[in-house]
Amino acid sequence: MATTRTQVAIIGGGPAGLLLSHILHRAGIESIVLERQSRSYVLERIRAGVLEAGTIALLRAVGLGDRMDREGHPHDGAAIAWEGRPRFFIDTMKYTGKQMMAYGQTAITEDLYAARDAAGGTIIDQAANVQPHDVISDRPFVTYEKEGLSHRIDCDYVAGCDGFHGVSRASIPATVLKTYEKSYPFGWLGIMSPTPPYPDLCYCYSSRGFALASMRNPMLSRYYIQCDLDAEVEDWPDERFWEEFKSRCPEDMAEKIVTGPSIEKSIAPLRSFVAEPMRYGRLFLAGDAAHIVPPTGAKGLNLAVSDVFYLSRGLIEFYRNGKTLYLDCYSDMALRRVWASARISWWLTMLLHRFPNETPFEQQMRFNQFDYLQASAHAQASLAEQYVGLPFEA
Ligand code: RFL
Ligand code: PHB
């Protein structure tokens, strides 16, 4: 078996793994990224689109802001269009002085690959059977197979950045890990369309269900509708999607939606999931490997970024002065932010969707929740603060 050595072995080449590798490199720390899929597969995946203020600031601070600032679309907040009620705006600018940015995860992933390539970073794609070993010892290692050959990487630390279905969390004994889970009785059907987007990021509540208008660039729109769990993409030809989407937004909004062919269409179930702790010996989990939030708050990618902020700080402290203070509090610190995002994502999901078999009482609670939001500057400030993203802890 061919053996190499690095300081940090990173499992998963999504945004969490690539960003960690990039930040460590800037601090003079070596890493190797092991990705199960091909690079083209990773780059073609369409996912998140909205960045919190802290994510924007971090990407700029680590030299990844240029294209984002050129091509991204800054927003002062997001709108909620509620059937039969005046339009509401989550005004992050007014209440926090901060903006969000519409900039696709696909573009961030491209930027990260470009930065790692330019720095000569090692990213091994199509790595099969990746497995961390001996993570509770001082000499952990990771094995994998590539093109029929077995490989071993000796390292100081292992970062599990391999998403919800990865091997890292699964390698932690069930007796150590506590998991919390909630699934929702619906999914999101999303399309990408090469059409001019609706100008605002707009969340719609309708008696027909939730809908969301978002964007990637001036000629690329992203739209979602709440769908049944058993819905299939084949049941939703473009015409049916547009008709349903427009029926869920107010008339003045529907008139402005520019329809066209979809170039991607997919269905994602909604789920909340948190695994604790986010550390097992020398294995650290970051991003979707440790937690999933429903996309309603646009928090998933942003949480992956804040985990990487905390984890990179801990690793940098260790390699600079041998101290493990930040590594030792990584799980607690990261989880405080994870739970905050889990809660606001759950809250927005409950507020904005129709639930099957809901009682009239529960509907009244939802209407009243929204009325209170519209009437109270305190409620608006609280939502704006959470939507724009809580600050990273010092
Ligand atoms: P990823 O992106 O899943 O990357 C994990 C990588 O690990 C690889 N992998 C393995 N590699 C080696 N060995 C194994 N055994 C492996 N198993 C897996 C995978 O191939 C993959 O490349 O996790 P990461 O890096 O933690 O990033 C998390 C984000 O991708 C995710 O949270 C967001 O996309 C969630 N999300 C959103 N987040 C936001 O912040 N704002 C949004 O607007 C937003 N919208 C969304 C979303 C997610 C969505 N879907 C599809 C669930 C909208 C949708 C529809
Ligand atoms: C997206 O643009 O893909 C998007 C925007 C806001 C969300 C979720 C997804 O809450």
Side-chain angles (χ1 to χ4, degrees):
M1 187 183 292
T3 302
T4 46
R5 200 195 133 71
T6 191
Q7 290 175 303
V8 183
I10 299 174
I11 306 178
L18 293 170
L19 181 63
L20 179 63
S21 176
H22 174 79
I23 296 177
L24 293 180
H25 167 77
R26 286 171 59 92
I29 300 164
E30 275 175 31
S31 65
I32 294 177
V33 176
L34 292 169
E35 167 58 49
R36 181 168 57 184
Q37 305 287 353
S38 67
R39 183 181 286 211
S40 56
Y41 180 94
V42 173
L43 285 171
E44 271 157 33
R45 261 186 326 221
I46 292 171
R47 286 184 167 178
V50 178
L51 307 183
E52 292 178 349
T55 299
I56 301 168
L58 179 79
L59 292 176
R60 284 180 186 145
V62 299
L64 292 166
D66 289 356
R67 182 174 165 216
M68 173 184 77
D69 284 323
R70 259 193 336 270
E71 298 179 14
H73 190 302
H75 284 284
D76 291 348
I80 299 180
W82 196 285
E83 189 174 59
R85 289 186 168 56
R87 193 78 47 92
F88 174 78
F89 192 64
I90 308 172
D91 201 333
T92 63
M93 196 57 180
K94 174 175 168 188
Y95 290 109
T96 70
K98 294 178 194 163
Q99 285 186 311
M100 321 276 295
M101 181 84 84
Y103 188 61
Q105 181 168 330
T106 316
I108 293 180
T109 311
E110 283 167 5
D111 298 347
L112 282 163
Y113 269 121
R116 294 310 295 125
D117 287 349
T122 309
I123 301 168
I124 298 166
D125 71 351
Q126 295 180 300
N129 290 328
V130 177
Q131 193 65 52
H133 303 269
D134 290 358
V135 294
I136 48 168
S137 78
D138 288 348
R139 293 166 185 273
F141 63 99
V142 178
T143 54
Y144 68 98
E145 285 156 28
K146 169 115 183 168
E147 286 154 5
L149 297 176
S150 300
H151 299 261
R152 166 176 170 147
I153 303 175
D154 293 332
C155 55
D156 302 323
Y157 290 102
V158 180
C161 303
D162 46 351
F164 185 66
H165 300 288
V167 66
S168 301
R169 192 183 68 252
S171 72
I172 302 177
T175 46
V176 173
L177 215 58
K178 184 158 174 56
T179 60
Y180 303 82
E181 187 157 13
K182 176 175 173 64
S183 40
Y184 301 85
F186 41 74
W188 278 17
L189 166 63
I191 68 159
M192 195 72 97
S193 173
T195 45
Y198 186 70
D200 300 321
L201 181 64
C202 188
Y203 296 85
C204 304
Y205 172 83
S206 138
S207 48
R208 298 183 65 87
F210 168 84
L212 166 62
S214 183
M215 65 198 69
R216 291 294 178 272
N217 65 47
M219 265 311 285
L220 196 56
S221 342
R222 181 80 166 145
Y223 294 99
Y224 298 95
I225 54 172
Q226 172 183 353
C227 63
D228 291 341
L229 276 178
D230 59 3
E232 311 253 6
V233 167
E234 296 72 45
D235 304 335
W236 286 92
D238 292 351
E239 310 72 58
R240 182 175 177 212
F241 180 90
W242 290 120
E243 194 182 323
E244 186 60 36
F245 181 86
K246 287 185 179 186
S247 76
R248 296 183 188 192
C249 38
E251 254 171 54
D252 65 313
M253 177 176 172
E255 279 165 16
K256 293 200 188 93
I257 302 291
V258 182
T259 61
S262 67
I263 50 172
E264 194 263 357
K265 196 180 280 162
S266 54
I267 293 179
L270 267 63
R271 169 192 289 139
S272 300
F273 175 88
V274 181
E276 294 184 347
M278 287 170 62
R279 172 190 191 167
Y280 180 58
R282 286 179 172 245
L283 168 66
F284 292 84
L285 303 179
D288 280 15
H291 40 74
I292 294 283
V293 290
T296 326
K299 293 291 178 210
L301 171 64
N302 293 293
L303 271 186
V305 170
S306 61
D307 287 354
V308 167
F309 168 78
Y310 291 129
L311 180 54
S312 60
R313 184 166 67 179
L315 290 166
I316 292 168
E317 181 197 46
F318 170 76
Y319 285 107
R320 290 234 167 107
N321 58 29
K323 293 206 165 66
T324 58
L325 202 77
Y326 276 130
L327 283 179
D328 293 338
C329 62
Y330 167 70
S331 178
D332 288 343
M333 255 190 187
L335 279 165
R336 274 195 285 276
R337 211 168 180 285
V338 167
W339 278 115
S341 293
R343 186 176 50 74
I344 192 68
S345 302
W346 160 83
W347 186 82
L348 279 166
T349 302
M350 303 300 284
L351 180 73
L352 294 171
H353 292 77
R354 283 301 307 256
F355 283 69
N357 307 321
E358 202 169 53
T359 64
F361 178 83
E362 286 161 332
Q363 286 179 28
Q364 286 308 119
M365 290 297 101
R366 173 174 306 113
F367 294 143
N368 184 264
Q369 187 75 249
F370 184 69
D371 289 343
Y372 173 61
L373 186 60
Q374 272 198 318
S376 162
H378 298 288
Q380 288 165 25
S382 169
L383 177 57
E385 176 187 48
Q386 297 177 80
Y387 188 70
V388 84
L390 296 178
F392 301 162
E393 274 180 63

